[in-house]
């Protein structure tokens, strides 16, 4: 046999025999008191998909021979609904006290069975998130079990683990001082992380109460949901907040759904996706629904399915929001640069955490990748929010500066316009003053003309009236037509004389030439006198005039002549507009130191539109005299002026088809 052949045969023998040699070393020696010892590669595992295997069945040859050697240092069974059994042997070579560490606080159920060399059960220990916190031998977040047996004694352990969360953990042995040092380092780094998250939470909560912008509320809810998940992973919430309520640990995955919901709401508000594009906004709404679905699955008991859905949703959401950030950065939205880096950090953390849970990469010792990624993300998002505030502040300042410049420009324009307007007002005022002087001159000429015409007309009218009286028409032998013509001439002269009188009265009122001669007048007596004056006129239309006076004295200080003219106008109008056989009433009464006279008829009434112009000059109303009597529209305007000149008041109450009331009131004496 050649030397080369001997060398190859030796190498081949080593390669073939090495695995057998490794598999044969099943005992874990406890001899190092200075360092923690990982024992994952020295264990065997068995999957219990039925969840029903008991320790007795595990000890049977049929089941026990199915254990498989573990091939990696960290125990990692990924996300699974199965329970797993681990088998390993431990022998002490020193008399120091050692502990077994299941290095995860995120396991629902743990059972540790200890057997001696004769395969007799020595102890059974049960703990986990499904049991109260005080079931743990050592009150720490991770699980520590005492290895309380003598030196040079070998014990066999069966460890059953079950979790609805990713099932991976380091399995180590060491002394209490080793674990205290490890926990010290772990708590230090975890304290930095949770202290940082608490600082971010409180800072942005303060900003929310100061600014009252909804985006900060979404952000602090997002930070809380991430912190809740991480604190639950390391067992801090269970240890310090609900140690006697383990059922709350079953809801930890709900925080993943809340993270998706709050992150989506924050992104929609931060990037204003609703205004920027309905398609982008609708796309983000998918993750809102996704988050609610994760929460619903966990609440109804499908925790594994909810966890897997949350892992996929968080990864897809992070990539989608990263794409959104790129889109908005390209559009010129400055804070999007921080947003991009933030989601990039979270994506790296999520990807590494998912790979870790899928047993595709190593497991980090003190911090997990999600913590590092989430810490960087919330820090960068805080920067993004701050930059967003600064950007809007700058925009506001620019807008205020632009508004100030515009205001100054407007002020300058207003001053120029005011100067122009003042000049035009002066010119217009001078023009109006000139026109007023001309109008005053014309008004004086009009007054003179009215006086001249009215006085000049009275003379021939009186002469015509006198000539007609001298004719003694009843004694003349005239034909029927001639008598009718002469009577019509007489009536026309009377109407013309009355018209001239009214014009002169109106002119006197407008030029303040009315001089009152007031005296105490008994209104009842005046009403009786006016009724007698109109008896013949009313009789021609078969109209009945009555006076209705309340008992007592009804006296007012008035100008009798003007009061007679007022009543003549009102009564003549009542007769004109009343049908044959109608009724006119004069009411006299006193109330609250006021004396009242009311002229009431049961004519056709006056419409609301006509009542608005009732007391105007030369106003013709829609209602017409029932017998074709003439009217020039001056009567009621003169009535109102006379009444007001005597310090009285007059108003009308009328209803179509019912009648009309003219109500006058004066101060009673």
């Amino acid at each position: 046999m050649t030397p080369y052949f001997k060398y190859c045969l030796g190498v081949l023998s080593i390669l073939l025999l090495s695995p057998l040699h490794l598999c044969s070393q099943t005992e874990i020696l406890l001899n190092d008191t200075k360092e923690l010892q990982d024992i994952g590669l020295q264990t065997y595992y068995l999957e219990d998909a039925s969840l029903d295997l008991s320790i007795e069945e595990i000890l049977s040859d049929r089941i026990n021979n199915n254990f498989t050697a573990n091939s990696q240092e960290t125990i990692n069974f990924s996300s699974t609904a199965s329970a797993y059994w681990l088998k390993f042997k431990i022998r002490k070579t020193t008399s120091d006290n050692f502990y077994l560490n299941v290095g995860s606080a995120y396991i629902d159920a743990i059972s540790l069975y200890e057997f001696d060399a004769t395969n007799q059960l020595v102890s059974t220990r049960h703990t986990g998130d499904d049991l109260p916190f005080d079931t743990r031998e050592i009150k720490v977040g991770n699980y520590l079990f005492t290895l309380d047996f003598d030196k040079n004694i070998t014990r066999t352990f069966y460890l059953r683990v079950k979790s609805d969360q990713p099932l991976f953990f380091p399995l180590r042995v060491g002394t209490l001082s080793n674990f205290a040092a490890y926990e010290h380092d772990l708590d230090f780094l975890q304290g930095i992380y949770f202290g940082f998250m608490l600082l971010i939470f409180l800072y942005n909560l303060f900003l929310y109460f100061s600014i009252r912008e909804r985006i900060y509320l979404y952000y602090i809810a997002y930070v809380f949901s991430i912190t809740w998940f991480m604190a639950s992973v390391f067992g801090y919430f269970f240890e310090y907040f609900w140690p006697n309520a383990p059922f709350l640990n079953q809801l930890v995955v709900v925080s993943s759904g809340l993270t998706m919901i709050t992150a989506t709401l924050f992104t929609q508000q931060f990037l204003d996706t609703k205004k920027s594009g309905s398609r982008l906004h609708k796309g983000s709404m998918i993750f809102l629904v996704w988050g609610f679905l994760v929460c619903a699955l966990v609440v109804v008991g499908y925790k594994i399915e909810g966890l897997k859905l949350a892992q996929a949703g968080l990864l897809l959401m992070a990539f989608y929001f990263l794409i959104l950030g790129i889109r908005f950065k390209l559009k010129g939205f400055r804070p999007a640069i921080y947003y991009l880096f933030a989601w990039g950090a979270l994506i790296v953390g999520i990807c590494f955490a998912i790979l870790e849970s899928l047993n595709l990469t190593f497991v980090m010792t003190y911090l997990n990748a999600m913590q590092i990624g989430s810490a960087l993300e919330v820090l960068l998002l805080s920067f993004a929010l701050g930059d967003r505030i600064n950007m809007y502040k700058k925009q506001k300042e620019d807008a205020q500066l632009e508004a100030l410049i515009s205001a100054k420009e407007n002020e300058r324009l207003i001053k120029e316009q005011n100067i122009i307007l003042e000049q035009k007002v002066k010119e217009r005022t001078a023009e109006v003053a000139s026109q007023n002087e001309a109008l005053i001159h014309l008004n004086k000429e009009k007054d003179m003309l009215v006086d001249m015409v009215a006085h000049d007309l009275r003379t021939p009218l009186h002469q015509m009236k006198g000539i007609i009286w001298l004719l003694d028409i009843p004694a003349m032998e005239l034909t029927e037509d001639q008598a009718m013509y002469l009577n019509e001439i007489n009536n026309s002269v009377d109407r013309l004389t009355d018209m001239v009188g009214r014009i002169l009265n109106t002119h006197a009122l407008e030029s303040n030439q009315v001089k009152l001669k007031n005296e105490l007048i008994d209104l009842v007596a005046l009403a009786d006198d006016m009724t007698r004056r109109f008896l013949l006129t009313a009789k021609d239309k078969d109209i009945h005039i009555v006076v209705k006076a309340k008992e007592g004295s009804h006296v007012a200080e008035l100008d009798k002549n003007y009061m007679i003219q007022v009543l003549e106008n009102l009564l003549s109008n009542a007769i004109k507009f009343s049908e044959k056989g109608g009724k006119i009433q004069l009411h006299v009464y006193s109330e609250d130191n006021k004396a009242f006279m009311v002229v009431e008829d049961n004519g056709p009434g006056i419409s609301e539109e006509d009542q608005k112009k009732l007391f105007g000059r030369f106003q013709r109303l829609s209602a017409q005299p029932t017998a074709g009597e003439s009217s020039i529209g001056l009567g009621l305007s003169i009535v109102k002026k006379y009444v007001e000149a005597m310090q009285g008041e007059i108003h009308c109450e009328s209803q179509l088809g019912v009648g009309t009331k003219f109500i006058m009131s004066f101060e009673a004496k």
Side-chain angles (χ1 to χ4, degrees):
M1 186 178 295
T2 63
Y4 177 76
F5 180 76
K6 289 181 179 180
Y7 172 76
C8 293
L9 183 61
V11 171
L12 181 61
S13 300
I14 292 172
L15 293 174
L16 292 173
L17 294 175
S18 290
L20 297 175
H21 174 72
L22 291 174
C23 291
S24 65
Q25 294 191 11
T26 58
E27 286 189 356
I28 300 167
L29 299 178
L30 301 183
N31 53 13
D32 187 357
T33 60
K34 296 181 180 179
E35 299 289 341
L36 291 176
Q37 180 180 351
D38 288 295
I39 62 172
L41 288 172
Q42 297 168 279
T43 62
Y44 295 83
Y45 71 90
L46 174 70
E47 182 180 6
D48 178 11
S50 67
L51 306 178
D52 292 332
L53 291 178
S54 64
I55 185 62
E56 290 78 11
E57 291 174 308
I58 291 295
L59 293 174
S60 67
D61 292 339
R62 179 179 61 84
I63 301 296
N64 208 291
N65 293 332
N66 292 329
F67 275 86
T68 304
N70 194 18
S71 60
Q72 55 189 7
E73 196 70 73
T74 299
I75 308 298
N76 195 334
F77 300 118
S78 187
S79 297
T80 177
S82 301
Y84 279 85
W85 291 82
L86 295 173
K87 180 175 73 171
F88 50 91
K89 291 184 178 182
I90 297 178
R91 183 164 68 92
K92 283 186 179 181
T93 59
T94 69
S95 59
D96 295 282
N97 291 325
F98 284 86
Y99 292 82
L100 173 68
N101 171 231
V102 179
S104 172
Y106 206 36
I107 301 175
D108 295 339
I110 299 177
S111 296
L112 181 64
Y113 302 92
E114 181 180 355
F115 292 87
D116 61 15
T118 62
N119 216 22
Q120 294 297 314
L121 183 64
V122 175
S123 67
T124 301
R125 285 166 271 188
H126 301 287
T127 186
D129 280 350
D130 288 345
L131 296 175
F133 192 80
D134 59 8
T135 59
R136 305 185 184 195
E137 290 186 35
I138 308 298
K139 303 302 185 290
V140 292
N142 293 326
Y143 299 93
L144 288 177
F145 301 94
T146 57
L147 301 176
D148 189 15
F149 52 92
D150 295 333
K151 178 181 176 181
N152 296 323
I153 297 294
T154 300
R155 291 289 169 86
T156 303
F157 292 90
Y158 289 90
L159 178 68
R160 182 185 185 276
V161 290
K162 170 68 176 73
S163 181
D164 289 331
Q165 290 81 38
L167 186 57
F168 61 94
F169 54 89
L171 191 62
R172 293 168 292 201
V173 291
T175 63
L176 194 59
S177 60
N178 298 147
F179 287 113
Y182 169 79
E183 289 291 334
H184 177 269
D185 295 338
L186 175 67
D187 290 341
F188 175 73
L189 293 175
Q190 291 296 325
I192 292 175
Y193 172 78
F194 288 109
F196 173 76
M197 297 297 279
L198 179 62
L199 178 64
I200 293 292
F201 177 87
L202 294 176
Y203 172 70
N204 286 278
L205 182 64
F206 171 77
L207 287 179
Y208 169 72
F209 285 116
S210 300
I211 303 175
R212 294 290 180 178
E213 284 196 26
R214 193 183 303 171
I215 188 172
Y216 286 97
L217 193 62
Y218 295 150
Y219 183 59
I220 59 178
Y222 173 65
V223 172
F224 173 77
S225 63
I226 293 178
T227 307
W228 174 18
F229 178 75
M230 292 303 169
S232 299
V233 167
F234 287 90
Y236 294 119
F237 271 14
F238 183 35
E239 181 177 358
Y240 295 108
F241 291 95
W242 52 76
N244 297 316
F247 68 92
L248 293 176
N249 296 323
Q250 305 299 321
L251 302 177
V252 170
V253 181
V254 169
S255 62
S256 300
L258 293 179
T259 299
M260 295 182 67
I261 294 168
T262 53
T264 302
L265 293 173
F266 171 79
T267 297
Q268 290 176 345
Q269 190 80 8
F270 183 82
L271 298 178
D272 202 4
T273 57
K274 192 171 184 179
K275 290 184 179 178
S276 301
S278 59
R279 186 176 300 175
L280 296 176
H281 184 71
K282 289 178 180 177
S284 65
M285 294 296 291
I286 294 173
F287 298 104
L288 271 181
V289 177
W290 203 316
F292 280 111
L293 182 59
V294 169
C295 295
L297 286 173
V298 174
V299 170
V300 299
Y302 294 93
K303 291 183 283 294
I304 294 294
E305 292 78 3
L307 176 63
K308 292 180 178 179
L309 190 64
Q311 289 175 335
L314 285 170
L315 188 60
L316 289 175
M317 180 189 72
F319 276 109
Y320 183 80
F321 289 166
L322 186 66
I323 294 171
L324 279 184
I326 295 172
R327 288 282 302 271
F328 279 86
K329 176 59 182 171
L330 294 176
K331 288 182 179 181
F333 186 62
R334 193 180 70 188
I337 187 67
Y338 293 106
Y339 186 84
L340 282 172
F341 284 120
W343 284 106
L346 185 64
I347 286 173
V348 173
I350 292 174
C351 289
F352 195 91
I354 292 175
L355 292 175
E356 191 179 55
S357 67
L358 294 176
N359 200 13
L360 298 176
T361 186
F362 67 93
V363 177
M364 300 181 69
T365 304
Y366 294 106
L367 291 171
N368 63 40
M370 276 285 288
Q371 285 182 296
I372 298 173
S374 62
L376 288 173
E377 185 213 18
V378 297
L379 177 63
L380 291 170
L381 287 180
S382 293
F383 289 157
L385 282 174
D387 192 51
R388 181 175 178 268
I389 292 174
N390 291 333
M391 183 187 72
Y392 287 147
K393 183 179 178 181
K394 181 67 168 56
Q395 291 177 352
K396 184 178 180 180
E397 290 174 351
D398 292 343
Q400 288 176 341
L401 180 60
E402 185 177 347
L404 181 60
I405 294 172
S406 298
K408 289 183 176 179
E409 179 65 19
N410 290 336
E411 184 179 359
R412 185 185 64 81
L413 292 174
I414 289 171
K415 286 181 178 179
E416 292 179 357
Q417 291 296 322
N418 285 339
I419 293 172
I420 296 172
L421 286 173
E422 286 175 4
Q423 184 63 33
K424 289 186 176 181
V425 167
K426 288 179 180 178
E427 294 174 358
R428 185 60 180 164
T429 301
E431 182 181 346
V432 170
S434 176
Q435 292 176 352
N436 283 341
E437 289 179 3
L439 289 172
I440 291 170
H441 180 70
L442 288 173
N443 193 49
K444 288 181 179 178
E445 290 184 353
K446 181 266 296 181
D447 291 342
M448 291 174 61
L449 180 61
V450 169
D451 288 340
M452 290 173 59
V453 170
H455 286 89
D456 290 347
L457 283 174
R458 277 188 169 184
T459 301
L461 287 172
H462 286 310
Q463 290 176 350
M464 292 170 65
K465 186 68 177 177
I467 293 171
I468 292 172
W469 180 75
L470 291 173
L471 288 176
D472 192 12
I473 295 173
M476 295 177 65
E477 293 182 3
L478 300 172
T479 64
E480 184 178 347
D481 289 339
Q482 289 173 337
M484 182 185 67
Y485 294 149
L486 286 174
N487 284 327
E488 187 62 32
I489 291 172
N490 186 42
N491 292 334
S492 296
V493 170
D494 289 339
R495 285 197 301 271
L496 187 56
T497 301
D498 182 62
M499 186 181 299
V500 170
R502 290 177 185 272
I503 292 172
L504 288 173
N505 288 336
T506 303
H507 176 65
L509 287 169
E510 291 178 346
S511 59
N512 295 323
Q513 295 176 2
V514 173
K515 294 182 180 179
L516 298 176
K517 296 179 181 179
N518 291 339
E519 58 182 290
L520 294 177
I521 297 176
D522 184 345
L523 297 183
V524 177
L526 180 61
D528 290 336
D529 182 49
M530 295 307 300
T531 301
R532 287 191 294 272
R533 293 190 186 194
F534 280 88
L535 282 177
L536 293 176
T537 307
K539 188 177 181 181
D540 290 341
K541 293 183 70 172
D542 195 20
I543 292 173
H544 186 52
I545 303 178
V546 296
V547 176
K548 290 188 175 181
K550 285 188 177 181
E551 292 184 2
S553 175
H554 309 293
V555 178
E557 189 174 354
L558 307 170
D559 186 304
K560 187 173 182 179
N561 289 329
Y562 286 154
M563 196 61 197
I564 288 172
Q565 290 187 52
V566 166
L567 291 172
E568 283 180 345
N569 272 289
L570 295 177
L571 287 170
S572 64
N573 281 344
I575 293 171
K576 285 180 186 178
F577 291 96
S578 294
E579 297 288 346
K580 286 188 176 183
K583 183 179 181 181
I584 298 173
Q585 301 179 70
L586 270 73
H587 301 274
V588 181
Y589 59 94
S590 297
E591 288 180 358
D592 300 329
N593 297 321
K594 291 280 187 180
F596 292 87
M597 290 194 75
V598 181
V599 179
E600 180 182 4
D601 64 56
N602 58 358
I606 303 172
S607 66
E608 291 185 4
E609 187 65 29
D610 282 346
Q611 289 183 45
K612 295 177 183 178
K613 54 185 179 180
L614 194 61
F615 295 102
R617 290 175 56 191
F618 301 105
Q619 294 291 337
R620 294 297 184 93
L621 307 181
S622 57
Q624 297 296 321
T626 56
E629 296 93 337
S630 62
S631 175
I632 61 173
L634 281 171
L636 290 178
S637 66
I638 293 173
V639 164
K640 184 174 179 63
K641 289 182 181 294
Y642 279 177
V643 170
E644 291 177 349
M646 292 183 287
Q647 306 301 314
E649 295 180 355
I650 183 170
H651 69 277
C652 174
E653 295 179 0
S654 183
Q655 186 176 353
L656 289 175
V658 177
T660 303
K661 292 181 182 179
F662 284 93
I663 303 168
M664 296 173 287
S665 62
F666 304 94
E667 186 177 350
K669 299 295 182 179

